[in-house]
Amino acid sequence: MTLQNSWRAGAAVLAIAIAVTLAVTPASALTAREKIQKLTFEPIEVTKQTPHRETLPNGIRVFTLEDHRLPLVDMVVIVKAGSLYEPADQSGLAELTGTLLRTGGTESMHFTDVDEKADAIAARFSTWVGTESGGALLNVHVDRLEDGVQLVADALRHPAFDPERYAVEMAQLREQIRRQNDSVQQIGQREFRKLLYGEGHPAARFPTTASLDRITREDLVAFHERYFAPNEMWIAFAGAITPARARALVDEAFGDWESKTVTYPEVPVVAGNSTPEMVHIQKESDQSIVSIGHLSMRRTDDDWALMRLANHVLGGSFSTSRLITEIRHKRGLAYATGSRFSTPYLYDGLFGAYAGTKGESTGEVLGILLEEVKKMDEAGVSAEELEVARNALVNSEVFEYENAQNIVQRLVDIDFYGLPENHYEAPFAVYQSADRKTLNEAIARDLKTDGLKILVVGDEAKFDVPLEDFGYPVRKVTLD
Amino acid sequence: MRLTSHAMSWIALILLAIPWSAEALQKEVVAIGGAEITVSREVLKNGLTVLIMENHTAPTIGFCTAFKVGSVDEWDGVSGVSHILEHMLFKGTESIGTIDWEEERFLQARIEEVRLQIQAEQSVRFHRDEEKIAKLTEEWMQLREAAKELANGREFGTILTENGARGLNAFTSYDATAYIVSLPANRLELWTILESDRYTKPVLREFYTEVENVREERRRSVEDSPGALLYERLTAAAFDAHRYGVEIIGWDSEIRTINRSEVEDYYRRYYAPNQMIIAISGDVDPEKTVAMIDAYFGDYKRQPPPHPVQTEEPEQLGEKRLEVEYDAEPRILMAWHKPTVGHPDNAALTVARNILDNGLSSRFERNIVNKGIAASISASVDNPGERYPNLFTVSAAVQSPHTVADVERAILFEMDRLKTEPVTAAELEKAKTQIETAYVRSFGSNMRSAINIAYEEAVLGNWKRRPEEILACREVTAEDVQRVAKTYFTKKTRTVGYTVKPEKEELESAMGGTR
C-alpha cells in the first residue's frame, strides 16, 4: 500500500509552517489550544490493496494479501460449522470439537507429536468452533510455513479425537464450569445473555455438567464429519507469502480433499421477549455489575451504521460518551462503563449498557444507566454530539487498511456471509452524510426502552437503594 | 507582528537549514529471527530520546511516550501515585480542558488548601472538631462543583477521538509509565502539540473524583479477581524490603487519602525530558519528525535525575507460606527470587521458563495439565518488573478433585527434575526458536512496535538489550539450565500462596485435642 503524493507534499508544507510559527512567536505566547486551532490537515488517501482470490476445484476459496515487513505468515481458515447447529441438549459439543481438532491428534500423528511439532516450529496454532463459524488460526515464521500448513490441514481433515485427550479436555471444561461463578464480571456477562436470549437459544447456551454428560467422543467425530468440507471452507493468507505460493501450499495440503454436500439445520429463531424485568443475582463482592438492555438488530440491518454513530454518543466512546461522562468523569462511580450493540450476522443481536461500581452505589448507577438510555431514546443526539461521533468514525477509517490480515479477513467474511462487496465501506458513507433527523428517527426505532431487561450481580447487603424501588418486577436468582 | 512577514520567512529558512540532515540520525539495526528491526535514534539537547521506526504500509502512526518511572519508585504512604498520575494526565492542561484557566487556577488552589485543612483536622486523635470537619467538607464539595463548571476534563480525549484516534490509553508498571495512541498520519503535528502540552503544563483537575474511579479499578482488577488478589498478597510476602512488594495500583487506604499536591510533587520529581522516551512507528519521515518534536519539546527543561531505588532485597532466610481466603475455586502461586535482565543467569532462567511452560508440548502442560492435576498453569520470568532482581513465578488453577497441595507437589517435581537431569537438545532448540519468534511477532503492528521500543528503552536503558538478551538465550546449554535451577529454585528462597474457601472460624485448639 502506498500513499499518494499529495500527502507527501503536505507534510513538507506543515514542517515549514511550524518553523515559521516558532521563529517569530515565543512558544509561550500561543497556547496549545491556539496552536491546534491553526492546524489544517491534508486529506489522507489510501491506496486500497485488493487481496488475490481464487477457488480450488474442490471449492476451497483462497485469499492472499502480501506484506513482507516481517518474515511471518498468518493463515486463517473459516469453516461453516458453529454451535448454531449443535443439538440443543448438547451444549459444549461444538466447542469441544473445535478444541480437539487441534489437541486430539490426527490419524497419522499422536497428539503429543502434533504438540511437539507445533512448538518446534514456534507456531501459534489453534482451532475453534464458535457460534456462527469455526476454523483454524496459524501464525508461523515463513521458513517453517509448509510444516505449519500441513499441521493445519491434517487437523481439519483427519482429526483423531484421541480418547485420552478427549477425557482431559472434557475434565477441563467441567473445571471451567466449576469456576464460572468465581467473579461478578464473569457472572454478569454470561447471565445477561441468558436473560435477553432465553436459555434455549444457542447464543446464550453455555455448557453445563448435564449437557456435557450427554456428549460422547463419537458425537464430536460425527459433528466434524458432517460440517467440515472443502466446499464450505475459506482460507486467508496474509504476510510474507505470494498468491502463487499460497495456491501451491493449499493444493498440496487440501487439493485432494473431495467436496460433499453439507446440509444445515435451521438456525433457531431468537425467542426472547420484551417484557420488562429485573434479575438480581446475589454474590458477596465489593463491586456490583449492573447491565441493562434488550434484543436488537443483526449486522446487516439498514440502521447498523446509524446505531454505530448513536452508540458512540451514548457509551461507545471511551473519551466522549454520555455514560463515561456521567458515571465516571462527573461522579467517580466506575472504572468500566459503556454501551454496545452486539450484532451477529445469522441471528438477532443485542443492545446493552453496563457499569461496574461499588456495592454502595449500585442503585445510583442503575438509575443513571436507565435515565441515559431513556433520554437517548426520547431526545436523540445533539448536533454537536453527532459531529464528534461523525469525525471520530470518519477520521479513523484509515485504520481499516493498516493490517493485511484484517483486510483479507474482511473479504473472507463478505464471501462467507454472502454480503455486498461494499459491506465494510458503506458505513463510512453513512457516517459522513447522516443528518440528525435521520439518526434520531433510527434511535427511536432501535432503542426499545419500554422492554428493558436489567441484571444486577452483587451483594444486596451493600446496596444504596432497594432494587424494588425501580418499579420493575424483581426476580432473585441463586447460583449453585 | 504583521509587519515582520518578510523577516519571518527568512528566519524560517535558517531554521530549516540547520539540523537533522539524513546523516545526523543514528540508525540502529538488529537482525533477529530473520527480521531486521531498524530504529532511528535522536537524543535532543534536553535529554529527550526519540526512537522512530518507519512503516509505510498505511497512512497511520503508533505513538508511545514512556517515562522511566513506575510504582517501584514510590515511597511509603503514597502507593499507587504513579498510576494515579497516569490517569490524571488525561485531564488536560492550562489551555486544554479549561473554560477560564485564571479563574480555575484559583479554585484548584483553594480546593487543595481546604483538603489539607480537613486532613489536618482528621488526624487529631482525641477531641476532634467534627463540626469543623463537616463545615470544611461542605466547602470543599462546593469548590469542587464550582471548578467542574469551569473545566472539561474530557477535552484532551475528545480532541484526539475526533481526529480519528484509536487505542488512546496508558499503562503503569512497576518499572515505567507509558502513554499510547494511534492516529492517521496527517495528525503528526496535532499529536506533537498535545503531547508536549500534556507533560509541561498539566492540570490535575477533577482529581478527587478520578481517585474514586481508581478505587473502582482496584475493586475490579484486584479485589474481584482471586488470581490478582493472590498475586498482590504473595508479592507483598515475597519482598521484605523492596518496593516490588507493593502492587502497582496501591493500597486502598493510600489511594483514598492521597492529596493532589502529593501527586504534583511526584510529577515534578520524575517527569522530565531526560526521563522520557518517545517512540513512533508508522508512516513518517524520521528527520522531519525529529525536527517537529524538537520544535515543540525543545523548551521542556532537563532536570537532575531522580534518586535511583537504593533498596536491595535482603536474602530470604526461609520458605514463606500464605493463604488468601476467597469464595472461589482454589489457586496456587509460587515464587522464587532470581536476578534480572543483564545478569548472566537470566537467559538460562528464561530458557528454563520456556521449557516448563510454553506451548502444549512443554513440561507443565504435558505432565500437570494433561494429567488432570491443574486446569491451567503458567510460568513467568519477569514478575513484578525487570529493573531490579525479581521473581520466577508459577501460577495454577487446581483441577478438582485435586488439591493445592497436589499441584504444588507436581510443580516442585518438575522444578527438581530440571536440577537432576539435563534438558534435551530438542527442548533447548524449541525454547530458543519460540523466544526468537515471539520477539519478531511483537512487531506485528505500529502500536506494538512503538510500545516495545519505548518501554524497553525506559526499563532496560536501551531497547536493544532485549534482542541482546534473546540472542544470549541462543548460547544457553543444558548444563546452564541445570545450574541455574539448582541455584535459584530452592526451598529457602521461595514463597508459596494458596487461595482457600472461607471456613467457619472454630477454636483451633479444639480441633486437634493435643498440641
Side-chain angles (χ1 to χ4, degrees):
Chain A
M1 218 180 290
T2 52
L3 290 172
Q4 299 199 342
N5 287 333
S6 61
W7 156 237
R8 290 255 170 270
V13 172
L14 280 181
I16 293 168
I18 303 158
V20 172
T21 311
L22 291 175
V24 295
T25 325
S28 55
L30 282 184
T31 65
R33 185 200 292 272
E34 288 160 346
K35 287 178 200 166
I36 58 174
Q37 278 163 353
K38 285 177 189 288
L39 289 178
T40 53
F41 305 109
E42 290 292 317
I44 274 202
E45 305 247 4
V46 185
T47 308
K48 293 174 185 172
Q49 280 207 344
T50 314
H52 182 272
R53 56 192 294 174
E54 59 188 313
T55 305
L56 266 57
N58 63 6
I60 296 184
R61 279 138 285 195
V62 184
F63 299 76
T64 310
L65 186 56
E66 291 184 61
D67 174 6
H68 294 274
R69 204 172 60 85
L70 294 174
L72 298 171
V73 177
D74 279 304
M75 175 190 187
V76 183
V77 184
I78 301 290
V79 180
K80 194 174 172 192
S83 63
L84 284 178
Y85 313 118
E86 78 188 356
D89 63 348
Q90 288 187 315
S91 186
L93 168 58
E95 181 182 343
L96 274 168
T97 307
T99 306
L100 274 142
L101 290 173
R102 160 68 186 85
T103 66
T106 69
E107 287 165 14
S108 59
M109 279 174 94
H110 188 260
F111 64 81
T112 53
D113 296 329
V114 176
D115 294 347
E116 199 61 62
K117 182 82 190 173
D119 289 347
I121 62 170
R124 264 198 202 157
F125 169 30
S126 59
T127 57
W128 84 98
V129 174
T131 314
E132 297 185 338
S133 64
L137 282 172
L138 174 76
N139 175 285
V140 69
H141 196 284
V142 64
D143 293 347
R144 304 181 281 269
L145 175 60
E146 205 166 330
D147 286 341
V149 174
Q150 283 298 337
L151 281 177
V152 172
D154 206 23
L156 295 178
R157 297 182 60 182
H158 310 295
F161 300 105
D162 187 288
E164 191 187 333
R165 206 50 172 288
Y166 171 77
V168 169
E169 300 292 0
M170 186 60 114
Q172 284 205 16
L173 197 47
R174 288 179 189 274
E175 183 63 33
Q176 273 180 37
I177 294 169
R178 216 185 325 274
R179 290 173 180 272
Q180 69 184 353
N181 298 331
D182 279 3
S183 92
V184 284
Q185 286 166 61
Q186 248 179 315
I187 298 169
Q189 282 168 17
R190 183 186 66 238
E191 297 299 320
F192 186 61
R193 289 186 79 81
K194 284 192 193 169
L195 177 60
L196 263 53
Y197 283 102
E199 303 211 9
H201 195 270
R205 220 156 52 198
F206 298 88
T208 62
T209 48
S211 78
L212 295 187
D213 287 344
R214 287 189 285 266
I215 297 172
T216 65
R217 179 188 160 274
E218 285 62 41
D219 294 325
L220 274 63
V221 173
F223 188 89
H224 169 264
E225 180 58 33
R226 175 164 178 187
Y227 294 111
F228 281 66
N231 43 309
E232 299 293 349
M233 183 174 289
W234 290 254
I235 302 180
F237 288 97
I241 182 169
T242 62
R245 174 120 203 257
R247 169 69 197 252
L249 285 167
V250 175
D251 265 336
E252 169 73 23
F254 295 90
D256 60 351
W257 191 4
E258 284 181 22
S259 64
K260 66 181 181 204
T261 307
V262 184
T263 57
Y264 294 89
E266 284 285 306
V267 173
V269 175
V270 174
N273 61 54
S274 53
T275 315
E277 182 183 16
M278 185 181 315
V279 168
H280 170 236
I281 295 174
Q282 170 62 25
K283 165 96 179 165
E284 264 185 48
S285 165
D286 288 319
Q287 196 166 57
S288 301
I289 302 295
V290 184
S291 318
I292 70 174
H294 56 72
L295 288 171
S296 183
M297 61 179 62
R298 298 181 183 205
R299 174 64 178 79
T300 45
D301 195 283
D302 288 343
D303 284 352
W304 187 85
L306 291 170
M307 282 307 105
R308 182 105 197 278
L309 278 168
N311 190 56
H312 195 277
V313 176
L314 177 61
S317 161
F318 174 73
S319 296
T320 67
S321 77
R322 291 182 185 180
L323 292 178
I324 276 279
T325 303
E326 295 301 323
I327 294 175
R328 184 170 161 153
H329 287 274
K330 285 195 184 162
R331 296 183 179 81
L333 291 174
Y335 174 69
T337 180
S339 66
R340 70 195 167 104
F341 281 85
S342 165
T343 52
Y345 285 93
L346 303 179
Y347 58 95
D348 296 347
L350 63 82
F351 162 76
Y354 63 92
T357 190
K358 60 185 175 295
E360 294 80 358
S361 48
T362 305
E364 186 180 359
V365 164
L366 173 56
I368 299 168
L369 287 175
L370 286 168
E371 187 189 328
E372 288 303 325
V373 171
K374 284 180 180 159
K375 208 158 75 186
M376 178 64 91
D377 184 21
E378 283 157 18
V381 306
S382 72
E384 301 80 57
E385 286 173 323
L386 172 57
E387 277 319 294
V388 172
R390 184 201 311 285
N391 289 337
L393 294 174
V394 168
N395 284 326
S396 66
E397 188 184 3
V398 284
F399 291 102
E400 305 291 313
Y401 304 94
E402 194 182 33
N403 178 307
Q405 202 209 315
N406 292 350
I407 296 169
V408 73
Q409 179 75 49
R410 285 200 298 268
L411 213 65
V412 169
D413 286 350
I414 283 171
D415 216 70
F416 181 87
Y417 292 110
L419 305 166
E421 286 296 323
N422 70 346
H423 175 72
Y424 285 99
E425 288 165 19
F428 289 93
V430 177
Y431 307 148
Q432 188 75 260
S433 64
D435 62 70
R436 189 168 159 238
K437 182 166 171 288
T438 314
L439 178 54
N440 287 341
E441 283 167 5
I443 290 170
R445 264 196 305 279
D446 297 316
L447 272 186
K448 301 186 168 76
T449 46
D450 41 15
L452 283 175
K453 305 266 188 196
I454 301 167
L455 176 68
V456 178
V457 186
D459 188 357
E460 195 167 20
K462 297 192 172 95
F463 293 169
D464 50 339
V465 181
L467 296 179
E468 287 72 14
D469 286 10
F470 287 90
Y472 289 80
V474 180
R475 181 156 59 91
K476 304 217 183 256
V477 172
T478 316
L479 298 173
D480 313 329
Chain B
M1 298 295 275
R2 292 269 165 213
L3 69 158
T4 58
S5 65
H6 180 75
M8 267 165 67
S9 49
W10 183 76
I11 294 168
L13 281 174
I14 291 182
L15 274 184
L16 282 175
I18 303 167
W20 299 291
S21 58
E23 298 80 47
L25 277 192
Q26 185 194 334
K27 275 215 174 16
E28 300 174 332
V29 184
V30 168
I32 186 164
E36 255 189 17
I37 314 292
T38 306
V39 175
S40 301
R41 172 188 295 273
E42 179 71 27
V43 181
L44 305 185
K45 282 204 187 68
N46 57 11
L48 197 165
T49 301
V50 184
L51 302 172
I52 297 178
M53 285 184 79
E54 283 181 77
N55 172 17
H56 302 287
T57 311
T60 59
I61 310 176
F63 298 93
C64 178
T65 303
F67 288 88
K68 299 177 198 173
V69 59
S71 65
V72 74
D73 298 290
E74 296 169 357
W75 51 92
D76 279 354
V78 296
S79 62
V81 62
S82 311
H83 173 247
I84 290 172
L85 176 60
E86 176 234 288
H87 273 238
M88 295 314 300
L89 288 175
F90 284 81
K91 293 290 184 180
T93 66
E94 293 171 14
S95 74
I96 306 290
T98 194
I99 289 158
D100 181 342
W101 171 235
E102 283 315 309
E103 189 112 341
E104 192 197 349
R105 181 211 293 269
F106 169 79
L107 279 176
Q108 294 295 355
R110 184 70 193 136
I111 287 169
E112 196 58 12
E113 267 172 37
V114 177
R115 165 79 174 188
L116 297 178
Q117 285 169 17
I118 295 170
Q119 280 201 335
E121 202 56 52
Q122 279 172 337
S123 67
V124 174
R125 287 187 63 199
F126 303 106
H127 309 299
R128 218 185 340 228
D129 188 345
E130 298 292 350
E131 205 173 307
K132 186 174 172 192
I133 292 175
K135 228 179 112 203
L136 283 169
T137 304
E138 199 192 326
E139 184 192 351
W140 188 62
M141 299 301 281
Q142 283 168 355
L143 285 164
R144 286 171 59 195
E145 283 308 311
K148 279 182 192 171
E149 295 299 312
L150 291 173
N152 170 12
R154 296 171 302 127
E155 189 178 9
F156 172 79
T158 304
I159 293 170
L160 286 166
T161 302
E162 265 207 274
N163 280 280
R166 286 262 173 106
L168 174 62
N169 214 330
F171 60 91
T172 307
S173 75
Y174 291 85
D175 291 340
T177 312
Y179 301 82
I180 58 175
V181 69
S182 293
L183 282 165
N186 60 353
R187 262 68 178 184
L188 173 64
E189 189 176 4
L190 174 81
W191 176 86
T192 315
I193 294 169
L194 287 173
E195 199 76 347
S196 59
D197 191 44
R198 180 185 201 182
Y199 305 116
T200 52
K201 298 185 181 68
V203 176
L204 311 193
R205 56 173 60 89
E206 301 168 10
F207 180 86
Y208 295 101
T209 307
E210 190 57 28
V211 159
E212 291 305 313
N213 292 323
V214 172
R215 294 180 68 201
E216 290 291 354
E217 183 179 358
R218 192 191 144 82
R219 287 183 190 103
R220 183 182 174 85
S221 62
V222 180
E223 276 141 35
D224 186 35
S225 163
L229 195 60
L230 178 60
Y231 176 82
E232 173 185 79
R233 299 309 164 93
L234 180 127
T235 46
F239 290 96
D240 287 324
H242 200 270
R243 295 270 332 167
Y244 272 165
V246 182
E247 231 278 341
I248 301 159
I249 201 162
W251 302 112
D252 186 60
S253 63
E254 298 184 358
I255 303 172
R256 197 175 65 223
T257 52
I258 199 166
N259 295 318
R260 197 183 70 216
S261 38
E262 291 174 292
V263 182
E264 287 164 347
D265 282 347
Y266 172 95
Y267 157 76
R268 279 190 288 270
R269 198 151 145 181
Y270 287 106
Y271 277 54
N274 44 312
Q275 288 289 102
M276 179 178 183
I277 294 105
I278 288 175
I280 291 177
S281 172
D283 188 26
V284 293
D285 176 313
E287 280 76 25
K288 284 176 187 155
T289 305
V290 166
M292 191 180 284
I293 290 172
D294 189 60
Y296 285 108
F297 283 90
D299 288 347
Y300 192 7
K301 291 279 181 298
R302 179 193 282 273
Q303 283 184 38
H307 288 295
V309 176
Q310 302 287 18
T311 309
E312 286 175 20
E313 180 62 20
E315 187 195 350
Q316 186 167 326
L317 300 178
E319 186 192 37
K320 301 175 189 175
R321 302 188 74 89
L322 72 147
E323 285 185 350
V324 170
E325 289 193 6
Y326 201 99
D327 183 18
E329 297 299 312
R331 287 166 187 278
I332 179 173
L333 178 58
M334 304 178 74
W336 290 262
H337 286 282
K338 63 170 267 294
T340 187
V341 180
H343 188 284
D345 290 344
N346 198 54
L349 286 160
T350 305
V351 171
R353 181 257 148 191
N354 273 267
I355 290 171
L356 289 174
D357 168 45
N358 192 349
L360 290 177
S361 73
S362 64
R363 291 183 174 193
F364 279 166
E365 284 292 331
R366 185 158 291 176
N367 302 329
I368 299 180
V369 176
N370 268 325
K371 299 269 163 65
I373 300 168
S376 65
I377 189 164
S378 76
S380 166
V381 80
D382 54 10
N383 280 325
E386 290 186 297
R387 267 167 59 190
Y388 305 102
N390 51 16
L391 301 171
F392 190 102
T393 55
V394 178
S395 66
V398 179
Q399 170 111 37
S400 173
H402 289 279
T403 63
V404 269
D406 295 340
V407 178
E408 181 182 349
R409 264 195 303 278
I411 292 169
L412 288 176
F413 180 82
E414 291 302 327
M415 306 299 277
D416 282 347
R417 204 150 70 84
L418 287 178
K419 302 173 194 169
T420 54
E421 52 187 74
V423 298
T424 66
E427 284 179 307
L428 264 185
E429 187 53 34
K430 184 172 66 181
K432 293 171 184 181
T433 311
Q434 286 175 325
I435 292 167
E436 268 175 24
T437 309
Y439 186 68
V440 175
R441 227 171 242 145
S442 72
F443 289 89
S445 71
N446 282 334
M447 192 70 268
R448 292 188 61 201
S449 300
I451 292 173
N452 274 356
I453 54 175
Y455 186 76
E456 308 225 315
E457 179 86 10
V459 174
L460 305 178
N462 189 308
W463 69 273
K464 284 185 294 181
R465 293 298 288 276
R466 179 72 61 196
E468 282 164 12
E469 176 90 358
I470 290 166
L471 294 172
C473 289
R474 265 275 152 228
E475 308 304 318
V476 169
T477 64
E479 294 72 46
D480 290 332
V481 174
Q482 202 166 357
R483 180 178 54 76
V484 297
K486 282 183 192 160
T487 309
Y488 298 106
F489 301 151
T490 64
K491 178 165 186 266
K492 186 179 167 188
T493 63
R494 79 181 175 222
T495 307
V496 182
Y498 296 167
T499 59
V500 296
K501 288 205 174 178
E503 280 176 31
K504 273 217 185 91
E505 282 289 326
E506 282 175 45
L507 291 175
E508 289 189 59
S509 57
M511 289 158 65
T514 55
R515 298 180 72 173

